[in-house]
Amino acid sequence: MNDVLLIALFALGGAACAGLAGAVVLRLVRHRSVAVSLTVVAAVTVTAMLAGTLAVAQAMFLSSHDLWVVTVVVAMAALVSLGTALVLGRWVVARSRALTRAARAFGDGGSFAAPDGAATAELAALSRELAATSAKLDESRARERSLEASRRELVAWISHDLRTPLAGLRAMAEALEDGVAADPARYHRQIRTEVERLTTMVTDLFELSRIHAGALSLSPSRMSVYDLLGDALSGADPLAREHGVRLVGEEIEAVPVDVDGKEMTRVLANLLVNAIRHTPADGTVQVAAARRDDAVVLSVTDGCGGIPDEDLPRVFDTGWRGTEARTPSPAGAGLGLAIVRGIVEAHAGRAEVHNVPGGCRFELTLPTAAVG
């Protein structure tokens, strides 16, 4: 037993010396290629085995012939180990460089495509992560292009919508100033109408800027969906009567929700005004609310005739106003539905639109109030 312990101590001492030297070399080459590190590891392994073997051989007083045989055997093992390490290192380096080129390609604006051929489990996992990141980046780029297009359209439409009333206000002001207005009272009423229109547009722009900046401050309180929709229907009733449109509230469940009453009233008002303006006379606008799992779905269905399928994904985009048939002059700058989506999403909900026979249905999904 003592002999075995002694042999183990001699072998451990020799191997430890080789391992310590290898650790120093690995630290020196830590910034070099992985092929160099693999070669050093293989060399340390063989050297440690050789050092331990020679230490034990010296302690056991082996003959020079036996010691030479042991040294040759270990040397052959070292050559095979180093060759294997070099081949493996070059393969890993080649795969890493191919992966680097693929990553650089999608970083420059392309899409990531994993290099062909087999790879280690770590490199394969990295390829999958890069592919997922590339897909997210493509979606982000598409979303950015869409937002940029919406911003350009918004600037163009806002410029037009501001220029028209401002030109009218200037003309009416000059007519009143020169005393050539045939009916000054009518001019005053028209000026007030245009000023209110501009005020509404500026208010919408301010609200949208707060939403996009994440500065929309909510003051939620518990209220019933039945009361929320009832107030919205009462507020939109005069406009519906003026346009000859019937407002129908049916299947409205008294589901409690935690919402900012002021902001949600604005959301529903935007949807109802939009539905009334795009529903022909003698048409019907239906409002409903029903529980769905842990949420409540508020819907406004109009008789607009439907929205083209290619326009459905853009309905809630900033500045979208659809076709001319759906956008008479009072339709605004296309901010109402963007505000609707922003406020609903701020309440952890979502806004959707679907075509239905004869029109379209806007649905707002909001989480129900927690019990207790």
Side-chain angles (χ1 to χ4, degrees):
M1 185 65 182
N2 291 334
D3 292 341
V4 173
L5 180 61
L6 187 62
I7 291 172
L9 289 176
F10 274 106
L12 179 61
C17 293
L20 182 62
V24 173
V25 175
L26 281 176
R27 180 173 179 80
L28 294 175
V29 301
R30 64 185 183 276
H31 299 302
R32 302 291 296 275
S33 170
V34 67
V36 176
S37 298
L38 286 174
T39 303
V40 172
V41 170
V44 168
T45 302
V46 175
T47 304
M49 183 179 66
L50 178 61
T53 302
L54 292 179
V56 172
Q58 290 292 341
M60 294 178 65
F61 303 103
L62 293 180
S63 65
S64 57
H65 176 270
D66 293 341
L67 184 61
W68 173 249
V69 171
V70 170
T71 303
V72 170
V73 171
V74 174
M76 294 302 100
L79 289 176
V80 174
S81 299
L82 290 177
T84 303
L86 285 173
V87 172
L88 178 61
R90 289 177 63 85
W91 178 72
V92 172
V93 169
R95 291 294 303 174
S96 299
R97 289 175 178 172
L99 197 58
T100 300
R101 289 192 296 270
R104 187 183 301 118
F106 94 84
D108 293 337
S111 297
F112 177 79
D116 296 330
T120 63
E122 292 78 9
L123 291 179
L126 180 58
S127 296
R128 290 192 295 269
E129 290 298 325
L130 287 174
T133 302
S134 176
K136 293 178 181 178
L137 188 59
D138 287 341
E139 293 177 1
S140 178
R141 286 169 177 159
R143 192 160 51 245
E144 182 180 355
R145 288 192 295 268
S146 177
L147 289 175
E148 183 60 29
S150 296
R151 279 193 288 266
R152 286 196 297 267
E153 292 176 357
L154 177 62
V155 170
W157 287 335
I158 287 292
S159 300
H160 175 269
D161 289 343
L162 288 177
R163 188 183 301 115
T164 301
L166 287 175
L169 288 171
R170 179 177 181 179
M172 287 184 285
E174 291 176 350
L176 290 171
E177 183 180 7
D178 296 338
V180 297
D183 187 357
R186 182 175 67 84
Y187 275 47
H188 287 138
R189 289 193 299 271
Q190 185 64 27
I191 288 175
R192 181 172 180 175
T193 300
E194 294 297 339
V195 169
E196 290 177 350
R197 180 185 174 193
L198 291 174
T199 301
T200 300
M201 191 180 303
V202 171
T203 302
D204 286 346
L205 282 171
F206 178 70
E207 182 79 2
L208 195 62
S209 68
R210 288 200 304 157
I211 291 172
H212 286 170
L216 181 63
S217 179
L218 300 177
S219 301
S221 60
R222 182 161 300 190
M223 60 182 59
S224 170
V225 169
Y226 184 88
D227 296 333
L228 193 64
L229 288 178
D231 293 342
L233 288 170
S234 299
D237 187 64
L239 181 65
R241 292 179 181 274
E242 179 183 343
H243 285 75
V245 174
R246 292 184 299 275
L247 281 180
V248 178
E250 54 184 29
E251 298 180 4
I252 300 178
E253 298 184 23
V255 181
V257 289
D258 290 324
V259 296
D260 187 312
K262 179 182 176 182
E263 296 295 345
M264 286 306 302
T265 297
R266 178 170 192 169
V267 165
L268 294 171
N270 282 356
L271 290 181
L272 287 171
V273 169
N274 188 64
I276 291 170
R277 284 177 173 167
H278 295 123
T279 299
D282 295 330
T284 301
V285 172
Q286 295 180 344
V287 179
R291 186 188 295 269
R292 183 182 299 171
D293 297 329
D294 294 332
V296 58
V297 179
L298 285 63
S299 63
V300 177
T301 306
D302 60 32
C304 67
I307 301 173
D309 292 339
E310 62 272 15
D311 285 341
L312 281 175
R314 298 192 56 208
V315 167
F316 293 100
D317 288 352
T318 301
W320 183 85
R321 292 195 287 190
T323 62
E324 292 298 325
R326 284 184 52 87
T327 55
S329 56
L335 306 180
L337 293 179
I339 292 174
V340 165
R341 179 175 62 179
I343 294 176
V344 170
E345 290 180 350
H347 284 85
R350 66 178 184 274
E352 300 172 305
V353 59
H354 310 282
N355 280 326
V356 296
C360 59
R361 176 182 293 122
F362 287 85
E363 294 184 349
L364 309 179
T365 303
L366 297 172
T368 55
V371 178

